[in-house]
Amino acid sequence: MIIRKAVASDVAKLYKLEQELFTDKNFPLSKGSFSYHIGNNLIYLAEIDGNIAGYVLTLIKRRDAKIYSIGVSELYRGKKVALKLLEILHRELLSLNFEKTVLEVRIDNERAIALYKNFGFTLKKELKAFYLDGCNAYLMELE
Ligand SMILES: CC(C)(COP(=O)(O)OP(=O)(O)OC[C@H]1O[C@@H](n2cnc3c(N)ncnc32)[C@H](O)[C@@H]1OP(=O)(O)O)[C@@H](O)C(=O)NCCC(=O)NCCS
């Protein structure tokens, strides 16, 4: 498995994976959004046998970083791909002197919550009706 930063030529494959991961109600990223984030934020991807197995998109704020989205193709789940992506991302954020990393996650997304807790994120608060369908979110944070 290779973990590396996404580049412009990855957009088509990232978009394909996004369509697999998220339905319209989850607002999957468009090709244009991927291009924008590759230029302005941070996308790490995991490549296995030439396929994009997963990615993590992090929004870069002034002092904090926010994980906007993470996903691993069903084919490659349960193989620590997401954990590896978070590790490499975290290393980079530390080297850039970010003080904390935050994220919001649907309270019904048990796998993602388990992943983030496993990595060391802690629950900070519950945000009521954060999503359009009325679902609450947990705000989680890693110092
Ligand atoms: C959440 C997701 C990214 C996990 O990816 P993954 O590569 O399978 O996860 P990993 O193999 O790295 O798992 C790491 C840890 O996460 C947790 N985890 C992952 N999958 C889990 C599951 N199905 N049930 C419970 N915990 C799970 C566990 O703590 C696991 O550690 P363990 O294997 O030692 O128990 C993946 O399931 C996914 O893409 N889901 C759909 C998209 C999504 O919901 N993204 C998050 C919101 S943007």
Side-chain angles (χ1 to χ4, degrees), residues 1-3 13 16-17 20-21 45-55 71-85 111 115:
M1 172 167 49
I2 297 167
I3 308 273
K13 281 185 180 173
K16 191 162 168 270
L17 174 61
E20 180 202 314
L21 291 171
L45 60 79
E47 207 172 35
I48 299 177
D49 301 331
N51 299 315
I52 296 184
Y55 81 91
V72 172
S73 165
E74 276 192 47
L75 268 178
Y76 299 103
R77 285 195 192 153
K79 298 179 192 298
K80 313 276 186 207
V81 174
L83 267 185
K84 197 78 203 157
L85 281 165
R111 285 178 307 200
L115 166 73

PDB file of all heavy atoms in Angstrom, residues 1-3 13 16-17 20-21 45-55 71-85 111 115:
ATOM      1  N   MET A   1       0.854  -1.206   0.000  1.00  0.00           N
ATOM      2  CA  MET A   1       0.000   0.000   0.000  1.00  0.00           C
ATOM      3  C   MET A   1       0.884   1.249   0.000  1.00  0.00           C
ATOM      4  O   MET A   1       1.831   1.335   0.759  1.00  0.00           O
ATOM      5  CB  MET A   1      -0.894  -0.013   1.257  1.00  0.00           C
ATOM      6  CG  MET A   1      -1.667   1.273   1.434  1.00  0.00           C
ATOM      7  SD  MET A   1      -2.991   1.182   2.674  1.00  0.00           S
ATOM      8  CE  MET A   1      -2.199   0.457   4.086  1.00  0.00           C
ATOM      9  N   ILE A   2       0.531   2.172  -0.875  1.00  0.00           N
ATOM     10  CA  ILE A   2       1.263   3.445  -0.924  1.00  0.00           C
ATOM     11  C   ILE A   2       0.311   4.542  -0.443  1.00  0.00           C
ATOM     12  O   ILE A   2      -0.829   4.623  -0.909  1.00  0.00           O
ATOM     13  CB  ILE A   2       1.695   3.774  -2.371  1.00  0.00           C
ATOM     14  CG1 ILE A   2       2.657   2.707  -2.900  1.00  0.00           C
ATOM     15  CG2 ILE A   2       2.318   5.154  -2.460  1.00  0.00           C
ATOM     16  CD1 ILE A   2       2.878   2.791  -4.393  1.00  0.00           C
ATOM     17  N   ILE A   3       0.781   5.354   0.486  1.00  0.00           N
ATOM     18  CA  ILE A   3      -0.008   6.524   0.900  1.00  0.00           C
ATOM     19  C   ILE A   3       0.709   7.756   0.347  1.00  0.00           C
ATOM     20  O   ILE A   3       1.913   7.920   0.563  1.00  0.00           O
ATOM     21  CB  ILE A   3      -0.086   6.651   2.439  1.00  0.00           C
ATOM     22  CG1 ILE A   3      -0.563   5.363   3.100  1.00  0.00           C
ATOM     23  CG2 ILE A   3      -0.939   7.860   2.823  1.00  0.00           C
ATOM     24  CD1 ILE A   3      -2.031   5.172   3.236  1.00  0.00           C
ATOM     25  N   LYS A  13     -10.419   9.081 -10.612  1.00  0.00           N
ATOM     26  CA  LYS A  13     -10.513   7.883  -9.763  1.00  0.00           C
ATOM     27  C   LYS A  13     -11.084   8.228  -8.381  1.00  0.00           C
ATOM     28  O   LYS A  13     -11.834   7.440  -7.797  1.00  0.00           O
ATOM     29  CB  LYS A  13      -9.147   7.229  -9.602  1.00  0.00           C
ATOM     30  CG  LYS A  13      -8.719   6.390 -10.803  1.00  0.00           C
ATOM     31  CD  LYS A  13      -7.408   5.674 -10.485  1.00  0.00           C
ATOM     32  CE  LYS A  13      -6.952   4.839 -11.661  1.00  0.00           C
ATOM     33  NZ  LYS A  13      -5.607   4.266 -11.420  1.00  0.00           N
ATOM     34  N   LYS A  16     -14.798   8.542  -8.740  1.00  0.00           N
ATOM     35  CA  LYS A  16     -15.429   7.224  -8.881  1.00  0.00           C
ATOM     36  C   LYS A  16     -15.592   6.581  -7.495  1.00  0.00           C
ATOM     37  O   LYS A  16     -16.641   6.023  -7.165  1.00  0.00           O
ATOM     38  CB  LYS A  16     -14.571   6.352  -9.803  1.00  0.00           C
ATOM     39  CG  LYS A  16     -15.214   5.087 -10.243  1.00  0.00           C
ATOM     40  CD  LYS A  16     -14.507   4.519 -11.481  1.00  0.00           C
ATOM     41  CE  LYS A  16     -14.979   3.103 -11.728  1.00  0.00           C
ATOM     42  NZ  LYS A  16     -14.159   2.103 -11.031  1.00  0.00           N
ATOM     43  N   LEU A  17     -14.542   6.653  -6.698  1.00  0.00           N
ATOM     44  CA  LEU A  17     -14.613   6.093  -5.335  1.00  0.00           C
ATOM     45  C   LEU A  17     -15.686   6.829  -4.518  1.00  0.00           C
ATOM     46  O   LEU A  17     -16.459   6.205  -3.778  1.00  0.00           O
ATOM     47  CB  LEU A  17     -13.236   6.221  -4.662  1.00  0.00           C
ATOM     48  CG  LEU A  17     -13.165   5.826  -3.180  1.00  0.00           C
ATOM     49  CD1 LEU A  17     -13.535   4.359  -2.982  1.00  0.00           C
ATOM     50  CD2 LEU A  17     -11.753   6.078  -2.627  1.00  0.00           C
ATOM     51  N   GLU A  20     -19.057   5.624  -5.051  1.00  0.00           N
ATOM     52  CA  GLU A  20     -19.271   4.327  -4.414  1.00  0.00           C
ATOM     53  C   GLU A  20     -19.548   4.515  -2.914  1.00  0.00           C
ATOM     54  O   GLU A  20     -20.372   3.814  -2.328  1.00  0.00           O
ATOM     55  CB  GLU A  20     -18.005   3.482  -4.616  1.00  0.00           C
ATOM     56  CG  GLU A  20     -18.058   2.083  -4.017  1.00  0.00           C
ATOM     57  CD  GLU A  20     -16.667   1.501  -3.769  1.00  0.00           C
ATOM     58  OE1 GLU A  20     -15.804   1.600  -4.677  1.00  0.00           O
ATOM     59  OE2 GLU A  20     -16.428   0.974  -2.685  1.00  0.00           O
ATOM     60  N   LEU A  21     -18.866   5.486  -2.314  1.00  0.00           N
ATOM     61  CA  LEU A  21     -18.911   5.646  -0.859  1.00  0.00           C
ATOM     62  C   LEU A  21     -20.140   6.384  -0.355  1.00  0.00           C
ATOM     63  O   LEU A  21     -20.676   6.058   0.699  1.00  0.00           O
ATOM     64  CB  LEU A  21     -17.678   6.426  -0.379  1.00  0.00           C
ATOM     65  CG  LEU A  21     -16.324   5.747  -0.482  1.00  0.00           C
ATOM     66  CD1 LEU A  21     -15.216   6.743  -0.170  1.00  0.00           C
ATOM     67  CD2 LEU A  21     -16.259   4.575   0.483  1.00  0.00           C
ATOM     68  N   LEU A  45      -4.236   9.890  -0.277  1.00  0.00           N
ATOM     69  CA  LEU A  45      -4.935   8.702  -0.749  1.00  0.00           C
ATOM     70  C   LEU A  45      -4.082   7.466  -0.526  1.00  0.00           C
ATOM     71  O   LEU A  45      -2.857   7.546  -0.383  1.00  0.00           O
ATOM     72  CB  LEU A  45      -5.339   8.854  -2.217  1.00  0.00           C
ATOM     73  CG  LEU A  45      -4.281   9.084  -3.285  1.00  0.00           C
ATOM     74  CD1 LEU A  45      -3.578   7.794  -3.671  1.00  0.00           C
ATOM     75  CD2 LEU A  45      -4.963   9.681  -4.517  1.00  0.00           C
ATOM     76  N   ALA A  46      -4.764   6.326  -0.452  1.00  0.00           N
ATOM     77  CA  ALA A  46      -4.085   5.039  -0.307  1.00  0.00           C
ATOM     78  C   ALA A  46      -4.246   4.303  -1.635  1.00  0.00           C
ATOM     79  O   ALA A  46      -5.363   4.174  -2.142  1.00  0.00           O
ATOM     80  CB  ALA A  46      -4.717   4.230   0.819  1.00  0.00           C
ATOM     81  N   GLU A  47      -3.134   3.860  -2.159  1.00  0.00           N
ATOM     82  CA  GLU A  47      -3.150   3.173  -3.445  1.00  0.00           C
ATOM     83  C   GLU A  47      -2.740   1.723  -3.233  1.00  0.00           C
ATOM     84  O   GLU A  47      -1.726   1.460  -2.588  1.00  0.00           O
ATOM     85  CB  GLU A  47      -2.139   3.860  -4.363  1.00  0.00           C
ATOM     86  CG  GLU A  47      -2.437   3.756  -5.826  1.00  0.00           C
ATOM     87  CD  GLU A  47      -1.482   4.643  -6.617  1.00  0.00           C
ATOM     88  OE1 GLU A  47      -0.305   4.781  -6.224  1.00  0.00           O
ATOM     89  OE2 GLU A  47      -1.913   5.193  -7.629  1.00  0.00           O
ATOM     90  N   ILE A  48      -3.569   0.813  -3.746  1.00  0.00           N
ATOM     91  CA  ILE A  48      -3.243  -0.612  -3.648  1.00  0.00           C
ATOM     92  C   ILE A  48      -3.401  -1.206  -5.041  1.00  0.00           C
ATOM     93  O   ILE A  48      -4.474  -1.077  -5.648  1.00  0.00           O
ATOM     94  CB  ILE A  48      -4.156  -1.350  -2.642  1.00  0.00           C
ATOM     95  CG1 ILE A  48      -4.001  -0.751  -1.229  1.00  0.00           C
ATOM     96  CG2 ILE A  48      -3.838  -2.849  -2.619  1.00  0.00           C
ATOM     97  CD1 ILE A  48      -4.911  -1.369  -0.169  1.00  0.00           C
ATOM     98  N   ASP A  49      -2.361  -1.833  -5.547  1.00  0.00           N
ATOM     99  CA  ASP A  49      -2.379  -2.432  -6.894  1.00  0.00           C
ATOM    100  C   ASP A  49      -2.889  -1.439  -7.945  1.00  0.00           C
ATOM    101  O   ASP A  49      -3.689  -1.796  -8.825  1.00  0.00           O
ATOM    102  CB  ASP A  49      -3.279  -3.680  -6.928  1.00  0.00           C
ATOM    103  CG  ASP A  49      -2.816  -4.733  -5.938  1.00  0.00           C
ATOM    104  OD1 ASP A  49      -1.604  -4.791  -5.661  1.00  0.00           O
ATOM    105  OD2 ASP A  49      -3.677  -5.486  -5.429  1.00  0.00           O
ATOM    106  N   GLY A  50      -2.492  -0.200  -7.834  1.00  0.00           N
ATOM    107  CA  GLY A  50      -2.886   0.809  -8.823  1.00  0.00           C
ATOM    108  C   GLY A  50      -4.295   1.351  -8.624  1.00  0.00           C
ATOM    109  O   GLY A  50      -4.720   2.261  -9.340  1.00  0.00           O
ATOM    110  N   ASN A  51      -5.043   0.802  -7.653  1.00  0.00           N
ATOM    111  CA  ASN A  51      -6.387   1.313  -7.381  1.00  0.00           C
ATOM    112  C   ASN A  51      -6.353   2.269  -6.190  1.00  0.00           C
ATOM    113  O   ASN A  51      -5.539   2.097  -5.285  1.00  0.00           O
ATOM    114  CB  ASN A  51      -7.342   0.171  -7.004  1.00  0.00           C
ATOM    115  CG  ASN A  51      -7.464  -0.839  -8.119  1.00  0.00           C
ATOM    116  OD1 ASN A  51      -7.611  -0.473  -9.275  1.00  0.00           O
ATOM    117  ND2 ASN A  51      -7.381  -2.114  -7.759  1.00  0.00           N
ATOM    118  N   ILE A  52      -7.252   3.254  -6.210  1.00  0.00           N
ATOM    119  CA  ILE A  52      -7.373   4.109  -5.037  1.00  0.00           C
ATOM    120  C   ILE A  52      -8.285   3.387  -4.038  1.00  0.00           C
ATOM    121  O   ILE A  52      -9.475   3.217  -4.280  1.00  0.00           O
ATOM    122  CB  ILE A  52      -7.909   5.505  -5.395  1.00  0.00           C
ATOM    123  CG1 ILE A  52      -6.901   6.217  -6.314  1.00  0.00           C
ATOM    124  CG2 ILE A  52      -8.126   6.325  -4.122  1.00  0.00           C
ATOM    125  CD1 ILE A  52      -7.253   7.638  -6.672  1.00  0.00           C
ATOM    126  N   ALA A  53      -7.683   2.952  -2.949  1.00  0.00           N
ATOM    127  CA  ALA A  53      -8.421   2.175  -1.952  1.00  0.00           C
ATOM    128  C   ALA A  53      -9.158   3.090  -0.982  1.00  0.00           C
ATOM    129  O   ALA A  53     -10.180   2.705  -0.409  1.00  0.00           O
ATOM    130  CB  ALA A  53      -7.461   1.273  -1.182  1.00  0.00           C
ATOM    131  N   GLY A  54      -8.651   4.297  -0.780  1.00  0.00           N
ATOM    132  CA  GLY A  54      -9.290   5.204   0.165  1.00  0.00           C
ATOM    133  C   GLY A  54      -8.638   6.567   0.118  1.00  0.00           C
ATOM    134  O   GLY A  54      -7.578   6.750  -0.501  1.00  0.00           O
ATOM    135  N   TYR A  55      -9.310   7.522   0.764  1.00  0.00           N
ATOM    136  CA  TYR A  55      -8.732   8.871   0.828  1.00  0.00           C
ATOM    137  C   TYR A  55      -9.199   9.568   2.090  1.00  0.00           C
ATOM    138  O   TYR A  55     -10.200   9.169   2.711  1.00  0.00           O
ATOM    139  CB  TYR A  55      -9.118   9.698  -0.415  1.00  0.00           C
ATOM    140  CG  TYR A  55     -10.504  10.299  -0.313  1.00  0.00           C
ATOM    141  CD1 TYR A  55     -10.691  11.574   0.225  1.00  0.00           C
ATOM    142  CD2 TYR A  55     -11.628   9.577  -0.681  1.00  0.00           C
ATOM    143  CE1 TYR A  55     -11.962  12.125   0.360  1.00  0.00           C
ATOM    144  CE2 TYR A  55     -12.902  10.121  -0.553  1.00  0.00           C
ATOM    145  CZ  TYR A  55     -13.063  11.392  -0.035  1.00  0.00           C
ATOM    146  OH  TYR A  55     -14.323  11.925   0.115  1.00  0.00           O
ATOM    147  N   GLY A  71     -12.851   7.941   3.491  1.00  0.00           N
ATOM    148  CA  GLY A  71     -13.575   6.789   2.977  1.00  0.00           C
ATOM    149  C   GLY A  71     -12.634   5.744   2.408  1.00  0.00           C
ATOM    150  O   GLY A  71     -11.566   6.067   1.875  1.00  0.00           O
ATOM    151  N   VAL A  72     -13.038   4.509   2.582  1.00  0.00           N
ATOM    152  CA  VAL A  72     -12.254   3.382   2.053  1.00  0.00           C
ATOM    153  C   VAL A  72     -13.207   2.496   1.255  1.00  0.00           C
ATOM    154  O   VAL A  72     -14.330   2.198   1.711  1.00  0.00           O
ATOM    155  CB  VAL A  72     -11.601   2.583   3.218  1.00  0.00           C
ATOM    156  CG1 VAL A  72     -10.953   1.295   2.706  1.00  0.00           C
ATOM    157  CG2 VAL A  72     -10.571   3.452   3.933  1.00  0.00           C
ATOM    158  N   SER A  73     -12.774   2.098   0.081  1.00  0.00           N
ATOM    159  CA  SER A  73     -13.588   1.228  -0.764  1.00  0.00           C
ATOM    160  C   SER A  73     -13.916  -0.069  -0.024  1.00  0.00           C
ATOM    161  O   SER A  73     -13.071  -0.615   0.693  1.00  0.00           O
ATOM    162  CB  SER A  73     -12.798   0.905  -2.038  1.00  0.00           C
ATOM    163  OG  SER A  73     -13.385  -0.170  -2.701  1.00  0.00           O
ATOM    164  N   GLU A  74     -15.141  -0.563  -0.224  1.00  0.00           N
ATOM    165  CA  GLU A  74     -15.561  -1.779   0.499  1.00  0.00           C
ATOM    166  C   GLU A  74     -14.585  -2.933   0.327  1.00  0.00           C
ATOM    167  O   GLU A  74     -14.368  -3.726   1.232  1.00  0.00           O
ATOM    168  CB  GLU A  74     -16.954  -2.198   0.050  1.00  0.00           C
ATOM    169  CG  GLU A  74     -18.032  -1.445   0.801  1.00  0.00           C
ATOM    170  CD  GLU A  74     -19.409  -2.028   0.587  1.00  0.00           C
ATOM    171  OE1 GLU A  74     -19.542  -3.253   0.691  1.00  0.00           O
ATOM    172  OE2 GLU A  74     -20.323  -1.233   0.298  1.00  0.00           O
ATOM    173  N   LEU A  75     -13.996  -3.000  -0.857  1.00  0.00           N
ATOM    174  CA  LEU A  75     -13.035  -4.073  -1.165  1.00  0.00           C
ATOM    175  C   LEU A  75     -11.868  -4.115  -0.187  1.00  0.00           C
ATOM    176  O   LEU A  75     -11.288  -5.173   0.047  1.00  0.00           O
ATOM    177  CB  LEU A  75     -12.414  -3.805  -2.538  1.00  0.00           C
ATOM    178  CG  LEU A  75     -13.020  -4.395  -3.779  1.00  0.00           C
ATOM    179  CD1 LEU A  75     -12.222  -3.934  -5.000  1.00  0.00           C
ATOM    180  CD2 LEU A  75     -12.979  -5.929  -3.688  1.00  0.00           C
ATOM    181  N   TYR A  76     -11.523  -2.951   0.342  1.00  0.00           N
ATOM    182  CA  TYR A  76     -10.300  -2.850   1.141  1.00  0.00           C
ATOM    183  C   TYR A  76     -10.576  -2.524   2.610  1.00  0.00           C
ATOM    184  O   TYR A  76      -9.666  -2.189   3.357  1.00  0.00           O
ATOM    185  CB  TYR A  76      -9.381  -1.777   0.547  1.00  0.00           C
ATOM    186  CG  TYR A  76      -8.960  -2.072  -0.864  1.00  0.00           C
ATOM    187  CD1 TYR A  76      -9.546  -1.406  -1.932  1.00  0.00           C
ATOM    188  CD2 TYR A  76      -7.987  -3.027  -1.136  1.00  0.00           C
ATOM    189  CE1 TYR A  76      -9.169  -1.679  -3.241  1.00  0.00           C
ATOM    190  CE2 TYR A  76      -7.598  -3.313  -2.438  1.00  0.00           C
ATOM    191  CZ  TYR A  76      -8.201  -2.635  -3.483  1.00  0.00           C
ATOM    192  OH  TYR A  76      -7.823  -2.913  -4.773  1.00  0.00           O
ATOM    193  N   ARG A  77     -11.818  -2.637   3.023  1.00  0.00           N
ATOM    194  CA  ARG A  77     -12.123  -2.272   4.415  1.00  0.00           C
ATOM    195  C   ARG A  77     -11.601  -3.305   5.409  1.00  0.00           C
ATOM    196  O   ARG A  77     -11.412  -4.471   5.054  1.00  0.00           O
ATOM    197  CB  ARG A  77     -13.635  -2.113   4.604  1.00  0.00           C
ATOM    198  CG  ARG A  77     -14.078  -0.812   3.971  1.00  0.00           C
ATOM    199  CD  ARG A  77     -15.436  -0.388   4.399  1.00  0.00           C
ATOM    200  NE  ARG A  77     -15.852   0.702   3.511  1.00  0.00           N
ATOM    201  CZ  ARG A  77     -17.088   1.016   3.217  1.00  0.00           C
ATOM    202  NH1 ARG A  77     -18.072   0.337   3.771  1.00  0.00           N
ATOM    203  NH2 ARG A  77     -17.351   2.012   2.399  1.00  0.00           N
ATOM    204  N   GLY A  78     -11.391  -2.858   6.631  1.00  0.00           N
ATOM    205  CA  GLY A  78     -10.951  -3.761   7.693  1.00  0.00           C
ATOM    206  C   GLY A  78      -9.492  -4.144   7.583  1.00  0.00           C
ATOM    207  O   GLY A  78      -9.038  -5.079   8.237  1.00  0.00           O
ATOM    208  N   LYS A  79      -8.736  -3.416   6.759  1.00  0.00           N
ATOM    209  CA  LYS A  79      -7.310  -3.722   6.587  1.00  0.00           C
ATOM    210  C   LYS A  79      -6.442  -2.569   7.089  1.00  0.00           C
ATOM    211  O   LYS A  79      -5.299  -2.430   6.684  1.00  0.00           O
ATOM    212  CB  LYS A  79      -7.001  -3.973   5.110  1.00  0.00           C
ATOM    213  CG  LYS A  79      -7.735  -5.157   4.499  1.00  0.00           C
ATOM    214  CD  LYS A  79      -7.354  -5.279   3.017  1.00  0.00           C
ATOM    215  CE  LYS A  79      -8.236  -6.244   2.266  1.00  0.00           C
ATOM    216  NZ  LYS A  79      -8.173  -7.623   2.751  1.00  0.00           N
ATOM    217  N   LYS A  80      -7.025  -1.729   7.931  1.00  0.00           N
ATOM    218  CA  LYS A  80      -6.304  -0.596   8.537  1.00  0.00           C
ATOM    219  C   LYS A  80      -5.920   0.478   7.518  1.00  0.00           C
ATOM    220  O   LYS A  80      -4.997   1.259   7.767  1.00  0.00           O
ATOM    221  CB  LYS A  80      -5.023  -1.058   9.274  1.00  0.00           C
ATOM    222  CG  LYS A  80      -5.212  -2.258  10.175  1.00  0.00           C
ATOM    223  CD  LYS A  80      -5.731  -1.848  11.525  1.00  0.00           C
ATOM    224  CE  LYS A  80      -5.764  -3.043  12.460  1.00  0.00           C
ATOM    225  NZ  LYS A  80      -6.757  -2.953  13.492  1.00  0.00           N
ATOM    226  N   VAL A  81      -6.598   0.523   6.393  1.00  0.00           N
ATOM    227  CA  VAL A  81      -6.285   1.564   5.403  1.00  0.00           C
ATOM    228  C   VAL A  81      -6.618   2.947   5.994  1.00  0.00           C
ATOM    229  O   VAL A  81      -5.812   3.879   5.912  1.00  0.00           O
ATOM    230  CB  VAL A  81      -7.061   1.332   4.089  1.00  0.00           C
ATOM    231  CG1 VAL A  81      -6.856   2.491   3.130  1.00  0.00           C
ATOM    232  CG2 VAL A  81      -6.620   0.025   3.436  1.00  0.00           C
ATOM    233  N   ALA A  82      -7.794   3.056   6.627  1.00  0.00           N
ATOM    234  CA  ALA A  82      -8.189   4.355   7.189  1.00  0.00           C
ATOM    235  C   ALA A  82      -7.225   4.778   8.302  1.00  0.00           C
ATOM    236  O   ALA A  82      -6.814   5.939   8.373  1.00  0.00           O
ATOM    237  CB  ALA A  82      -9.618   4.283   7.725  1.00  0.00           C
ATOM    238  N   LEU A  83      -6.838   3.826   9.152  1.00  0.00           N
ATOM    239  CA  LEU A  83      -5.913   4.162  10.238  1.00  0.00           C
ATOM    240  C   LEU A  83      -4.587   4.658   9.675  1.00  0.00           C
ATOM    241  O   LEU A  83      -4.014   5.619  10.164  1.00  0.00           O
ATOM    242  CB  LEU A  83      -5.651   2.939  11.122  1.00  0.00           C
ATOM    243  CG  LEU A  83      -6.526   2.742  12.354  1.00  0.00           C
ATOM    244  CD1 LEU A  83      -6.040   1.544  13.159  1.00  0.00           C
ATOM    245  CD2 LEU A  83      -6.528   3.988  13.246  1.00  0.00           C
ATOM    246  N   LYS A  84      -4.117   3.993   8.623  1.00  0.00           N
ATOM    247  CA  LYS A  84      -2.836   4.378   8.003  1.00  0.00           C
ATOM    248  C   LYS A  84      -2.949   5.786   7.413  1.00  0.00           C
ATOM    249  O   LYS A  84      -2.037   6.604   7.547  1.00  0.00           O
ATOM    250  CB  LYS A  84      -2.505   3.357   6.909  1.00  0.00           C
ATOM    251  CG  LYS A  84      -1.090   3.349   6.460  1.00  0.00           C
ATOM    252  CD  LYS A  84      -0.194   2.632   7.447  1.00  0.00           C
ATOM    253  CE  LYS A  84       1.240   3.121   7.269  1.00  0.00           C
ATOM    254  NZ  LYS A  84       2.056   2.929   8.465  1.00  0.00           N
ATOM    255  N   LEU A  85      -4.076   6.068   6.768  1.00  0.00           N
ATOM    256  CA  LEU A  85      -4.285   7.413   6.202  1.00  0.00           C
ATOM    257  C   LEU A  85      -4.236   8.461   7.318  1.00  0.00           C
ATOM    258  O   LEU A  85      -3.605   9.510   7.173  1.00  0.00           O
ATOM    259  CB  LEU A  85      -5.639   7.484   5.497  1.00  0.00           C
ATOM    260  CG  LEU A  85      -5.714   6.877   4.090  1.00  0.00           C
ATOM    261  CD1 LEU A  85      -7.172   6.673   3.668  1.00  0.00           C
ATOM    262  CD2 LEU A  85      -4.998   7.754   3.068  1.00  0.00           C
ATOM    263  N   ARG A 111     -19.039   2.968  12.726  1.00  0.00           N
ATOM    264  CA  ARG A 111     -17.699   2.570  12.270  1.00  0.00           C
ATOM    265  C   ARG A 111     -16.746   3.751  12.312  1.00  0.00           C
ATOM    266  O   ARG A 111     -15.615   3.636  12.774  1.00  0.00           O
ATOM    267  CB  ARG A 111     -17.759   2.068  10.816  1.00  0.00           C
ATOM    268  CG  ARG A 111     -18.351   0.701  10.664  1.00  0.00           C
ATOM    269  CD  ARG A 111     -18.410   0.338   9.211  1.00  0.00           C
ATOM    270  NE  ARG A 111     -19.090   1.372   8.432  1.00  0.00           N
ATOM    271  CZ  ARG A 111     -19.620   1.204   7.243  1.00  0.00           C
ATOM    272  NH1 ARG A 111     -19.517   0.027   6.647  1.00  0.00           N
ATOM    273  NH2 ARG A 111     -20.225   2.181   6.603  1.00  0.00           N
ATOM    274  N   LEU A 115     -13.453   4.333  14.561  1.00  0.00           N
ATOM    275  CA  LEU A 115     -12.150   4.629  13.932  1.00  0.00           C
ATOM    276  C   LEU A 115     -11.500   5.845  14.598  1.00  0.00           C
ATOM    277  O   LEU A 115     -10.328   5.805  14.992  1.00  0.00           O
ATOM    278  CB  LEU A 115     -12.357   4.893  12.426  1.00  0.00           C
ATOM    279  CG  LEU A 115     -11.198   5.540  11.687  1.00  0.00           C
ATOM    280  CD1 LEU A 115     -10.057   4.539  11.507  1.00  0.00           C
ATOM    281  CD2 LEU A 115     -11.640   6.060  10.316  1.00  0.00           C
TER     282      LEU A 115
END
